């Protein structure tokens, strides 16, 4: 069902054509409107959701959004996934009490040839009261994080990364993590790659335990760190290994990350018993909660030597 819905959405979005300044007003046969002027171009597009055939949705571009960025935004997996989420079993539009009238594309940040971040504003109304539901969205899509526990001489240590996080203006101690490439969808493989890039530790896919998989199916088995403004959903994995004390010493303070991507990362290793009070990273705190509850209920496989 989910695949069918996504395919239908994707098909309805494949109707944009290149825009030319010489065309003051253009309309293609599938309903894409574009009004161009020498002063302030205005781009609009109309879609129909599979579950709301009688309620077309207008997609608009804010001033400053180029036609190429507008098209990229509408075609992006970030936008299509958001539209899909609206119509799932727990989606905002699922029970028919709310309606989506319009989406304003406000900003696009490209990561190479794909969209990394997408900012838009959705007009969603409660049909009974007519009230608008807060709808400012910062879309960045799914991500993965890894809780790495190293057992050495009877003590458990955790591997963290230390990075400058400009949005909060602070140096943050956090779990190794990374965005999931939208064209691959390989969650476990992404987790392994991110750990190797950020810590230099080589892991085996077979050693991964998906802690978020223990959540109820109604949750989607991911966690949302800031659903009031961001669509990011995180899968959290666990990896446990027995190591010599020299390995921990070698990792401490190691500088890693992809320099060409601006990643300036230091590895930190601390005792697991101190982890819960050592950082404000919500991924850490969620990982601890999932791990401890999974241990309590006997859900974790045995750690092999």
């Amino acid at each position: 069902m989910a695949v069918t819905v996504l395919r239908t959405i994707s098909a309805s979005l494949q109707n944009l054509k290149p825009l030319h300044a010489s065309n003051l007003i253009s309309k293609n046969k599938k309903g894409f409107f574009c009004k161009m002027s020498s002063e302030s171009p205005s781009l609009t597009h109309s879609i129909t959701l599979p579950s709301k055939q009688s309620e077309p949705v207008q997609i608009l571009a804010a001033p400053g959004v180029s036609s190429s960025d507008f098209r990229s935004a509408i075609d992006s997996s970030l936008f299509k996934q958001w539209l899909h989420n609206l119509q799932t079993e727990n989606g905002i539009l699922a029970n028919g009490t709310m309606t989506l009238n319009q989406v304003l594309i406000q900003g696009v940040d490209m990561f190479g040839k794909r969209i990394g971040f997408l900012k838009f504003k959705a007009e969603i109304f409660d049909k009974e009261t007519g009230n608008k539901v807060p709808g400012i969205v910062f879309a960045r899509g799914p991500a993965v994080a890894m809780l790495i526990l190293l057992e050495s001489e009877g003590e458990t240590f955790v591997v963290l990364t230390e990075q400058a996080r400009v949005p909060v203006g602070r140096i943050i101690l956090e779990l190794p993590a990374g965005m999931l490439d939208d064209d691959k969808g390989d969650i476990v493989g992404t987790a392994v790659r991110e750990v190797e890039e950020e810590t230099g530790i080589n892991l085996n896919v077979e050693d991964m335990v998906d802690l978020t998989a223990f959540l109820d199916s109604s949750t989607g088995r991911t966690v949302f760190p800031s659903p009031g403004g961001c669509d990011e959903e995180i899968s959290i994995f666990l990896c446990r290994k027995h190591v010599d004390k020299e390995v921990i010493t070698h990792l401490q303070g190691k500088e890693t990350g992809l320099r060409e991507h601006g990643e300036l990362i230091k590895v930190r290793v601390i005792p697991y018993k101190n982890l819960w009070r050592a950082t404000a990273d919500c991924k850490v705190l969620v990982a601890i909660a999932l791990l401890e509850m999974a241990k309590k209920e006997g859900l974790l496989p045995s750690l092999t030597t």
Side-chain angles (χ1 to χ4, degrees), residues 18-129:
L19 304 174
H20 303 282
S22 58
N23 299 330
L24 293 181
I25 301 179
S26 64
K27 173 186 177 183
N28 72 17
K29 60 184 179 182
K30 290 188 178 181
F32 172 60
F33 294 87
C34 175
K35 181 179 180 181
M36 302 289 290
S37 73
S38 59
E39 296 180 358
S40 179
S42 177
L43 308 174
T44 66
H45 174 58
S46 179
I47 63 171
T48 302
L49 301 179
S51 63
K52 303 290 181 180
Q53 295 288 339
S54 61
E55 302 175 6
V57 179
Q58 295 299 311
I59 315 296
L60 311 175
V65 175
S66 68
S67 60
S68 60
D69 280 353
F70 185 54
R71 173 169 182 150
S72 295
I74 295 174
D75 285 342
S76 70
S77 62
L78 291 176
F79 191 63
K80 291 176 183 177
Q81 185 62 49
W82 177 76
L83 291 173
H84 168 71
N85 290 346
L86 293 174
Q87 303 167 86
T88 56
E89 182 179 356
N90 295 325
I92 293 175
L93 305 182
N95 61 10
T97 61
M98 297 187 187
T99 182
L100 171 65
N101 292 350
Q102 174 180 294
V103 177
L104 178 67
I105 305 296
Q106 297 174 308
V108 175
D109 285 304
M110 303 298 295
F111 287 11
K113 295 183 179 180
R114 70 179 181 88
I115 289 183
F117 299 144
L118 176 62
K119 169 73 163 46
F120 59 91
K121 187 174 183 179
E123 284 195 359
I124 296 180
F125 291 87
D126 180 88
K127 291 182 178 180
E128 182 177 351
T129 65

Side-chain angles (χ1 to χ4, degrees), residues 12 14 17 27 33 36 40 44 59 81-83 100 136 153-154 167 174 196 199 203 217 219 223 233 245 261 274 287:
S12 72
Q14 300 301 317
K17 294 183 177 181
K27 173 186 177 183
F33 294 87
M36 302 289 290
S40 179
T44 66
I59 315 296
Q81 185 62 49
W82 177 76
L83 291 173
L100 171 65
I136 296 176
E153 299 180 4
E174 57 189 288
E196 292 178 351
T199 70
L203 302 177
S217 60
T219 66
V223 294
E233 52 184 284
K245 202 61 172 283
H261 292 173
N274 299 335

